[in-house]
Amino acid sequence: MKRVLVITYYWPPTGGSGVQRWVKFARYLPSEGWQPVIYTPENPEQLAVDHSLEKEIPEEAEIIKRHITEPYELYKKFLRGSGHGKEAVEVNPVNARNKSFAQKAAMWVRGNFFRPDPRCMWIRPSVKYLKKYLEEHPVDLIVSTGPPQSMHLIGRRLAKETGLPWIADFRDPWTKIFYFKHLSMTRATEKWHHRMEKKVLDEATAVVAVSPLVQKDFQQVTKTPVVLITNGFDENDYPDMNVSQMSGGHEKDFTITHTGLFAADGNPTVLWDVLADKCRKDSEFRNRLKIRLVGKTDIQIIGAIEDAGLKDNLIDLGYQPHEVAVDEQRKASLLILPLRKEPEYKAVLPGKLFEYIASRRPVLGIGQPDGAMAMIMDSTKTGTVLDWNDREAVGRFIDRCWCDHCKGTLTVEGADISQFTRRNLTRRMAELFDRIVSGKQ
């Protein structure tokens, strides 16, 4: 069995969508003739913990965990000391509106002193350790997956010093990621990022992108082969079930569900307004409507729902294990997937999109109707993406779903989504590995 070293910051028991891509690849790589060797921190920053993901790790996987030094504890102490509450300290999205002076100061330090990100202090010790480790435990190939982009700099240096082929797997872009412009960087720091991104793209043996628009952007700036391998869903998480069981009926609740991180800059106020207006006009709809939030939800989202008069319709479950989130997706009448209100998000394919379409429930996306997510939804016929401000279209979509729910016909069937199974995606990744190590890439 050939061996591949995967350098990743996110690994179980850390929860969240950033973990699942390589956990699932690792699960199926042994059946494709590759043993995964995972290099990951033993003490990472964890916004969520999900021990259920540990069951996904195959026996063949070799796990290497090493201590990482990063400044987040100092950052949290600094904010707590300046009077900030739990929300600002623990969630604090980079692109949060109305930052305090302390938050702005901390962001300036983060943007200019920790390049490319706060995990940068792990680069040098990781390269030193792995170079020695690989002398005694050789591998055939190196993969780095980011963000954080520091993982790519580990992969780059290690490939240079060992001569091994190296794949840079971008789960999100680097300088075109939506929060890049919010990092309060100096002009010199911004140029450094662009320069390092170009070096990673040019020096990698191959680059992998998860979105066709990101793939296109990379192809325009490098001659390195850029391969599209999206995120996906594990068919084992979605056992056969009669989809018509979830098709609705007058006696059943009309459940609108969101799973995963729900950030304030992804607040679909147009949807809350449409739902509130329909509740005022239709008492049956008001009695049947349930809004279920499964995951970490920003307090501003909760506030917006309550301000719209939907407090009695809201059920906030908080963070749940992945298997619970999947079950909630399947039980929903309608799934919602608002993108963040950033122009760069046009190129993003959220990981949960593929689990949403695997659930065979209708999906309402809110964002750019000409973006990457809309391309996938159109091709699979599993939902629609509407503009943030298109209240009329959102209203028509909700009316149509409610009507179908009452008739017991609200479902999505017949779409071919097999190309997005984790097993098929892993096969494509393994084929890329084989081409590279055989010199055919």
Side-chain angles (χ1 to χ4, degrees), residues 323-339:
E323 54 196 13
V324 175
V326 167
D327 188 53
E328 288 288 336
Q329 292 165 8
R330 300 216 59 170
K331 291 178 178 177
S333 307
L334 171 66
L335 294 164
I336 57 171
L337 185 44
L339 298 180

Side-chain angles (χ1 to χ4, degrees), residues 4 7 72 93 134 140 148 151 191 195 255 320-321 334 372 441:
V4 56
I7 302 167
Y72 279 110
L134 294 181
D140 300 273
M151 305 303 106
K191 286 183 176 180
R195 188 167 63 251
T255 305
Q320 297 292 324
L334 171 66
Q441 173 63 35

Side-chain angles (χ1 to χ4, degrees), residues 148-162:
Q149 314 300 358
S150 287
M151 305 303 106
H152 293 315
L153 299 192
I154 296 173
R156 173 177 174 260
R157 289 192 190 181
L158 191 61
K160 272 188 171 184
E161 298 199 20
T162 62

Side-chain angles (χ1 to χ4, degrees), residues 4 64 108 142 165 191 206 211 213 250 270 282 295 310 345-346 349 364 373 381 385:
V4 56
I64 308 167
W108 190 89
I142 299 169
K191 286 183 176 180
S211 158
L213 297 183
H250 268 294
V270 64
D282 187 336
L310 300 169
Y345 238 77
K346 179 178 179 178
L349 280 178
L364 170 60
M373 184 170 76
K381 297 179 173 57
V385 179

Side-chain angles (χ1 to χ4, degrees), residues 301-311 314:
I301 303 287
I302 303 296
I305 295 173
E306 294 179 350
D307 289 344
L310 300 169
K311 182 177 181 179
L314 174 63

Side-chain angles (χ1 to χ4, degrees), residues 106-175:
M107 192 59 58
W108 190 89
V109 171
R110 179 252 189 263
N112 294 285
F113 284 87
F114 298 96
R115 303 189 307 188
D117 49 62
R119 282 86 190 202
C120 59
M121 290 183 285
W122 206 45
I123 298 172
R124 186 183 297 272
S126 293
V127 173
K128 181 180 179 181
Y129 172 82
L130 287 172
K131 184 181 177 183
K132 183 177 180 180
Y133 182 86
L134 294 181
E135 290 175 356
E136 301 176 1
H137 309 84
V139 298
D140 300 273
L141 178 69
I142 299 169
V143 173
S144 59
T145 180
Q149 314 300 358
S150 287
M151 305 303 106
H152 293 315
L153 299 192
I154 296 173
R156 173 177 174 260
R157 289 192 190 181
L158 191 61
K160 272 188 171 184
E161 298 199 20
T162 62
L164 287 166
W166 159 52
I167 295 174
D169 175 61
F170 283 86
R171 300 190 316 279
D172 283 309
W174 187 329
T175 57

